[in-house]
């Protein structure tokens, strides 16, 4: 069965780069959101298995999305994909429930390792 | 004027490439200051030179500013300016663990060091992604405690437009913030645009 992934980033290019970095053998349905508010709306519609979440976004940033998701039970795996590479940013998102932090620009191999660790991709 | 110099895709790409440079700069300065740096989405504007001072004023507010400039050259040529509100300059000394008021020379050195880290990481990160070779001149103090409007001598800019890339860094627990502006003259905007096109084509 295909997994549903939600790619959240204000940049169309960043979303495209992330989608192209997903493991080729992974059967996914890709949905997209351009800010935190859209991400939450998409999440609430259900079925999202994995969310790829940028941190620096207008309207509502990635930290705020993680907090909101936690308040709602965090029913999906969240991989933060961000250029904010401060060690503290990485610790914070993990404390907020993200399973992993992947830095931009995304390295497809490292992303694959993270996903396989959680058994969500081949 | 010519926002049309960039298509939507080119602007989006430049913003994201700048975002990655900004992230590297934020991490570098966080390491120097030992504080968490809050980042916001970079803003990209193509402006006539006379509209640059009001754009700066909008970012910095009414307070006086001190600024450091640093030229860059090579595949891409222009100038980076790091703008600090005057109160924030003093905060910097405190952040760096100086107990007493700094003498002017030490404070200046501190500003130059922090600016150098920011500019090097931010523009270096951008350049790396578009495969541009870029060198930096030494940072120099541009103005001390001046009105924003008098910071840049826009009369002397001979380019009909300039690219204004705004990156803001602030600290969560302290009232420190600074702003990095990258200014490119029109011919260099076109060079950058071509580099972005090559980058996009390689995706």
């Amino acid at each position: 069965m295909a997994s549903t992934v939600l790619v959240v980033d204000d940049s169309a290019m960043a979303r495209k780069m992330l989608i192209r970095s997903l493991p080729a053998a992974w059967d996914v349905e890709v949905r997209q959101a351009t800010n935190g508010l859209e991400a939450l709306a998409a999440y609430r519609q259900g079925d999202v298995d994995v969310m790829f979440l940028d941190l620096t976004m207008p309207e509502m940033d990635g930290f705020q999305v993680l907090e909101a998701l936690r308040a709602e039970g965090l029913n999906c795996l969240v991989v933060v994909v961000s250029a904010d590479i401060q060690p503290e940013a990485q610790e914070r998102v993990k404390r907020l429930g993200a399973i992993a932090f992947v830095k931009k620009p995304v390295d497809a191999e490292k992303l694959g390792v993270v996903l396989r660790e959680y058994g969500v991709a081949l | 004027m010519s926002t049309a110099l960039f298509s939507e895709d080119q602007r989006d790409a430049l913003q994201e490439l700048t975002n990655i440079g900004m992230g590297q700069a934020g991490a570098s300065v966080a390491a120097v200051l030992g504080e968490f740096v809050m980042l916001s989405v970079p803003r990209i504007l193509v402006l006539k030179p006379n509209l640059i001072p009001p754009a700066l004023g909008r970012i910095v507010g009414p307070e006086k500013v001190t600024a450091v400039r640093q030229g860059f050259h090579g595949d891409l040529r222009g100038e980076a300016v790091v703008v600090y509100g005057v109160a924030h300059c003093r905060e910097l000394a405190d952040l760096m663990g100086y107990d007493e008021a700094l003498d002017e020379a030490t404070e200046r050195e501190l500003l130059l060091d922090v600016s150098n880290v920011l500019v090097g990481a931010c523009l270096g990160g951008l350049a790396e992604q578009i495969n541009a070779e870029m060198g930096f001149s030494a940072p120099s103090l541009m103005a001390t405690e001046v009105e924003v409007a008098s910071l840049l001598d826009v009369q002397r800019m001979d380019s009909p437009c300039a690219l204004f890339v705004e990156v803001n860094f602030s600290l969560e627990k302290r009232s420190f913030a600074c702003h990095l502006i990258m200014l490119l003259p029109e011919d260099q905007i076109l060079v950058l645009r071509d580099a972005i096109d090559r980058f996009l084509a390689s995706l």
Side-chain angles (χ1 to χ4, degrees), chain A residues 28-104:
Chain A
V28 284
E29 181 202 323
V30 176
R31 296 179 194 168
Q32 303 188 38
T34 65
N35 63 49
L37 292 176
E38 280 185 30
L40 283 182
Y43 169 79
R44 285 171 186 148
Q45 285 177 6
D47 309 330
V48 174
D49 297 305
V50 183
M51 185 186 298
F52 296 97
L53 180 65
D54 181 28
L55 291 180
T56 313
M57 290 185 293
E59 308 297 337
M60 182 184 213
D61 70 20
F63 293 109
Q64 293 169 309
V65 171
L66 279 167
E67 278 165 19
L69 286 175
R70 251 160 67 114
E72 296 182 24
L74 191 57
N75 221 350
C76 71
L77 298 175
V78 180
V79 177
V80 168
V81 182
S82 176
D84 186 347
I85 51 173
Q86 296 176 79
E88 169 136 12
Q90 306 184 26
E91 281 161 30
R92 279 184 193 198
V93 298
K94 290 194 181 157
R95 271 205 303 275
L96 287 167
I99 60 166
F101 177 96
V102 176
K103 74 168 182 174
K104 289 178 175 178

